[in-house]
Amino acid sequence: MKKGDIVFVYVSSPTKTFLGFFEVDFVLEKEATTDELKHFWKEVKDHAGINYQDFYKYYEGASVAVGIFLRNVKKFENPIELYRLQEKLSYLRPPQSYRYLNESEYTTIMTLGGENPAAITNKLK
């Protein structure tokens, strides 16, 4: 994941719905040592959306800590249920973690969500 990537937010069970999208502002990656996690927490605490205890619990046993900073977060005007998307793209299955989309898939999802894909792409450049 890199700066400028557009990421769609999909909620799995029970709703199975694409809710919206965001643009990646930047990504921080650190070793998950005790000292590095202390520094990492100082950098992300005001943006992480979790408390100190949950932060450390989340990274417990990890070798790498990654923080993805977001910008241009947008909720779809028309959230897209999976069955609606599969009426247009029958082969599309949401992955366990992430999946890259081609231009046609991107355009289809944006359009179903009530967005103008060209306007979003131009705005983000």
Side-chain angles (χ1 to χ4, degrees):
M1 197 174 290
K2 64 185 181 315
K3 181 180 179 121
D5 282 352
I6 296 173
V7 178
F8 290 103
V9 177
Y10 176 75
V11 177
S12 56
S13 191
T15 60
K16 298 180 181 178
T17 304
F18 286 85
L19 292 181
F21 61 96
F22 61 86
E23 181 183 2
V24 175
D25 190 15
F26 62 95
V27 178
L28 280 180
E29 188 171 320
K30 305 269 186 181
E31 286 186 55
T33 64
T34 302
D35 285 343
E36 286 294 322
L37 283 175
K38 285 178 186 176
H39 295 295
F40 193 46
W41 173 250
K42 288 177 184 176
E43 292 180 73
V44 303
K45 68 181 179 178
D46 295 330
H47 310 285
I50 60 175
N51 64 38
Y52 177 85
Q53 289 80 15
D54 289 339
F55 174 85
Y56 282 98
K57 192 174 186 179
Y58 181 81
Y59 288 112
E60 186 177 9
S63 58
V64 176
V66 177
I68 303 166
F69 286 73
L70 322 176
R71 67 178 178 192
N72 299 322
V73 177
K74 177 105 188 221
K75 187 174 179 181
F76 281 133
E77 185 176 312
N78 307 311
I80 309 163
E81 294 86 0
L82 182 58
Y83 78 88
R84 280 184 50 224
L85 180 59
Q86 289 178 333
E87 288 172 355
K88 302 281 186 192
L89 303 170
S90 61
Y91 62 88
L92 191 69
R93 302 283 181 268
Q96 291 295 318
S97 57
Y98 71 93
R99 176 188 186 280
Y100 290 97
L101 300 174
N102 64 38
E103 190 172 336
S104 174
E105 294 165 338
Y106 166 82
T107 299
T108 300
I109 293 171
M110 289 299 238
T111 302
L112 284 172
E115 299 293 330
N116 177 344
I120 298 298
T121 305
N122 291 335
K123 182 179 175 185
L124 297 177
K125 288 183 178 178

